[in-house]
Amino acid sequence: MHLLPTPLEELTLGESSDLSHVGSPRRLADRQAAQRALYHRLGLEEPVFYVSRSAHAPIRWYWHGTHNQYHRWVQQLLRGNLGYSYRTGQPVLALLQSALLYTLPLMAIAIGLATSLAIWLALGFALAPAEGGGWQALGRTLLMSLQAVPLFALALALLLLFANPDLLNILPADGMGTAYPPLGGLAWLAAYGAHLVLPLLSLVLAVLPGLVLPLENALRHELATPYSSTARAKGLTAWQVAYQHALPNALLPLFTTFTGLLPALVAGAVVVEVLFALPGTGRLLAEAAAAHDYPVVLAGVLLTAGARLLALLVADVLYYRADPRLRPSS
Amino acid sequence: MAQVNSRAVDVINLMHYSLLQTDFATGTMAPTLAAALPSVQFVGDSLTHLDYHLRDATWDNGRPVLATDVAFTLKLMHCPELPNEGERTHFSFIRELLLDPADPRHFTLVCRGQAPEYRLDSGDFPILPENPLDPTHSLRQFSLATLQDWPRSTAPAPAVAALVQRYQQADPGHHPERLAGCGPYQLAAWEGNHSLTLQRKKKWWGDRLPTAPLVLQARPKQLQFLILPDDAAATLALRRHELDLYPQVSARDFQRLQASATAHRELAFYSGPSYDIVIAGFNTRRPAFQDKLTRQALSCLFDAKSLLAGTQLGQGSRTVGLLPPTSPFYNDSLPLPAYAPARAVALLRQAGWQQIGGTWKRAAQQLAFSVRYRADETTFETVALQFRAAAAAVGIPVALRPTEASTLTEALRQGDFDVCVRKLKGNPFAFNFLPILHSQSVGEGNFTGFGTPASDRLLEAIAAVGQPGRKRLLLKQFQMMLQKEAPLAPLFVLPYRLAADRHLVQVYPSGLRPGYSAATLTWAATPSPDH
């Protein structure tokens, strides 16, 4: 059994439905010879794994020893080599690095903005009366509605609203500038900022309800506890009680939600990257998966899994730091 | 300018010239580095000689483009371990390049076999300079045939291995600036998966020509290609003038743009038939589809006219066979396949099927099958849905099996389907249906499994015929045969759609990739009229 990346084969050898290459009648033997050469170049001639099973009855199992693609991949991985993309021939590490250059700043800013805004909004909502309330009630309803909107619909709606000559033509439709010669200094920063507004807005609005609503709930719970009443009795303002006393406790359940966002730092957001034409990791991995570019997909999965583990570790450390009850001394 | 193109061939054609390139004004191949189309001489019954003369072209350093550069390019193509297995197979018909000692710009290509298409096909690869890549001319000691026939089990000759290593280190595929071509443009900036900027060379040999033919014109000072994966974003970018030209616009967006009064004032719209044809194929290895009457009957259940209106919003055209109606070889004396359920029922009865208890039966066979198509193509899905409804109306149960693209290709290749809906990509230069209909291509491109001795002979004759009159006759016979045997049902020819700024002229819209002539685009003071 071999790994058969059909899209790659069609990309390199031409599609079987393409009648454009007609000079030489392409016989089966020619195509098969080219296919063998392609597999040889990409190292796909070996079996995929240590064992394989016969495709047809009677079922038999075969042992291939260490001469298999997986073993070779692990060997290379231990040497820090993630392999080469089937599609472009570029080292996977270089591809991931260049994609992370777009994804990391975008996602870091989005997560930072969303978290700060979530804390500010949750405090504001929690301090308003539970029934009625002016802007807080409206904000809560808006956030609940936002939570029901999928990211692609939200991003598309923002695009159609703010980058549309028929409505508001105030922001660029493309998530990146294309100026040539390249802009320098402040001009670059301004252009970069303008192009990032819509992708950032989409991402922030998409995660905001998931952060604000549970935090508000936790804050309300904390504000109803005796220690909050004591703090108020001591003469602290409502804001001081909420910010200094209730918030540190209310933040505890948010750590899991917050660290759950961290893998997206490296995995990117496919929808936003596709819609705003950003060459980030989300798009890279989605396109690699569609084209069966396995080395890139494997590296992406590895990277995302690593980020997930790191996020869990960060969550544990944050809990440990924030909650004294978790410390062994307690 | 926007273009989604993973293969980058269209950009390469602006930096590296070939011997012949597409003339978008006429839809034919025109001499670029070659001074004229090659003269053809058939030798015996198995060889073709193509005689080429090169233009007075030069590389950027002033060195002339010579026959040795062409020979080097062909030999480099056949060096092992370089990522060009497709081209190597495609150009394997060129067995040798004979240099002319008296004229360094004159050479003869010796081709294996005899096919009229060799004339145009032999010049369709970019020419690379020999000196920067092989300064010691180490490849000259090998003949092209030697490199082609080099056994894969044998290690390459040291000189070849060294050259391959040098080429891989230079990595011109990802660093085009390291290998300047003789085309008018050079790479200025490249943001992977996002944008690519080409700059017109200040000094270029083509500027010396007194009257440059269309393929040798290079008007824009700068060309920028953007990859915008989302249709809605691309349409907005066009409206916002972040793009000047948008090829391959979807039917819906094209219609929406045309309907907008503001967009109509700013944009020019171009549309016409392309060379891509949507077909439905029958797996002739299935007992139910082995007889042509059943296939003909089922072909009558496709409503091509309504499908064209529904999926392409009226653009594109119906066809009698695998040639577009614009082709000079189109058989216009044949009737267009029509949606005719009553005729389908009559043909089924003629084929021996009988409707018993609401199902069609013939001996132990029951007429019930599935349709497979690419899951992400709405056009194919619409075709399949229409076919299912039409089949259900005459009592044939049809199941739909939308399938992921690569799984589908593999399934079709292995014959794991009953009926499939897919697209065939054609071109106007040549006609070779061997890969999709010849019995020897079963298991590769011939998914239907069709092939009779008579049809094989006809297809081989079409691939070999040179004389236009005879070719017309054979192609008309082919279209007749296709309607009679019905291994596949040609549904409609897809249209090309392109929208561009109204002030952009010399666009030369075309059904050929990339759909326009990038090097001739010019800004005009007055907007272009409606098309």
Side-chain angles (χ1 to χ4, degrees), chain A:
Chain A
M1 187 178 85
H2 299 280
L3 220 51
L4 279 167
T6 311
L8 165 85
E9 191 190 310
E10 297 221 322
L11 188 72
T12 318
L13 306 183
E15 289 176 49
S16 44
S17 63
D18 194 343
L19 308 177
S20 304
H21 281 190
V22 291
S24 54
R26 298 173 109 199
R27 302 293 171 144
L28 196 54
D30 283 349
R31 173 99 181 184
Q32 283 171 343
Q35 196 185 49
R36 279 196 299 275
L38 172 67
Y39 281 23
H40 175 72
R41 177 166 63 79
L42 298 174
L44 297 172
E45 284 175 317
E46 291 179 346
V48 176
F49 199 54
Y50 297 98
V51 288
S52 66
R53 203 182 77 146
S54 56
H56 306 288
I59 300 297
R60 286 212 177 100
W61 290 87
Y62 301 97
W63 171 253
H64 303 293
T66 55
H67 293 289
N68 64 71
Q69 292 176 41
Y70 178 74
H71 187 81
R72 212 157 22 81
W73 179 75
V74 173
Q75 268 186 329
Q76 291 299 315
L77 184 69
L78 293 174
R79 290 180 193 136
N81 181 3
L82 288 167
Y84 296 87
S85 161
Y86 289 163
R87 282 183 303 164
T88 66
Q90 284 174 290
V92 173
L93 202 61
L95 281 174
L96 278 178
Q97 275 171 350
S98 60
L100 280 172
L101 270 180
Y102 296 103
T103 297
L104 270 177
L106 174 75
M107 298 306 286
I109 297 173
I111 292 175
L113 269 177
T115 313
S116 326
L117 202 60
I119 292 174
W120 182 77
L121 280 174
L123 281 169
F125 291 172
L127 289 173
E131 300 300 321
W135 68 270
Q136 291 94 340
L138 183 69
R140 205 178 292 120
T141 315
L142 270 177
L143 281 180
M144 281 175 181
S145 320
L146 264 183
Q147 199 158 23
V149 181
L151 178 57
F152 82 90
L154 178 69
L156 197 61
L158 289 173
L159 190 73
L160 291 172
L161 186 65
F162 293 112
N164 191 347
D166 294 336
L167 290 168
L168 294 171
N169 193 12
I170 51 176
L171 287 167
D174 175 14
M176 269 175 73
T178 51
Y180 186 84
L183 302 168
L186 281 176
W188 174 84
L189 201 65
Y192 183 71
H195 282 277
L196 275 191
V197 170
L198 283 179
L200 275 177
L201 200 59
S202 312
L203 289 167
V204 169
L205 289 180
V207 296
L208 206 56
L211 292 171
V212 174
L213 299 173
L215 183 60
E216 184 208 345
N217 211 28
L219 272 171
R220 282 190 185 282
H221 173 77
E222 295 300 329
L223 287 171
T225 52
Y227 78 84
S228 297
S229 305
T230 311
R232 274 193 292 273
K234 281 166 72 182
L236 294 183
T237 61
W239 177 260
Q240 281 172 320
V241 176
Y243 188 74
Q244 288 172 5
H245 295 274
L247 185 63
N249 288 323
L251 274 177
L252 287 177
L254 199 72
F255 286 162
T256 323
T257 320
F258 172 72
T259 49
L261 296 175
L262 291 183
L265 265 178
V266 293
V270 181
V271 171
V272 169
E273 288 176 8
V274 166
L275 197 61
F276 296 105
L278 290 163
T281 38
R283 213 174 115 202
L284 175 76
L285 299 183
E287 287 172 1
H292 294 216
D293 193 350
Y294 298 122
V296 179
V297 176
L298 279 172
V301 169
L302 206 65
L303 185 73
T304 317
R308 169 71 66 186
L309 284 176
L310 197 69
L312 291 176
L313 193 71
V314 169
D316 280 351
V317 171
L318 284 175
Y319 274 122
Y320 183 80
R321 300 269 307 170
D323 192 347
R325 289 170 298 182
L326 294 175
R327 292 180 198 157
S329 54
S330 65

Side-chain angles (χ1 to χ4, degrees), chain A residues 20-24 26, chain B residues 85-93 121:
Chain A
S20 304
H21 281 190
V22 291
S24 54
R26 298 173 109 199
Chain B
E85 291 82 6
E87 283 71 19
R88 212 178 293 165
T89 313
H90 180 61
F91 291 103
S92 61
F93 69 93
D121 224 27

Side-chain angles (χ1 to χ4, degrees), chain B residues 485-501:
Chain B
E485 294 289 339
L488 44 88
L491 301 178
F492 48 83
V493 181
L494 288 166
Y496 70 81
R497 298 179 205 90
L498 184 144
D501 193 297

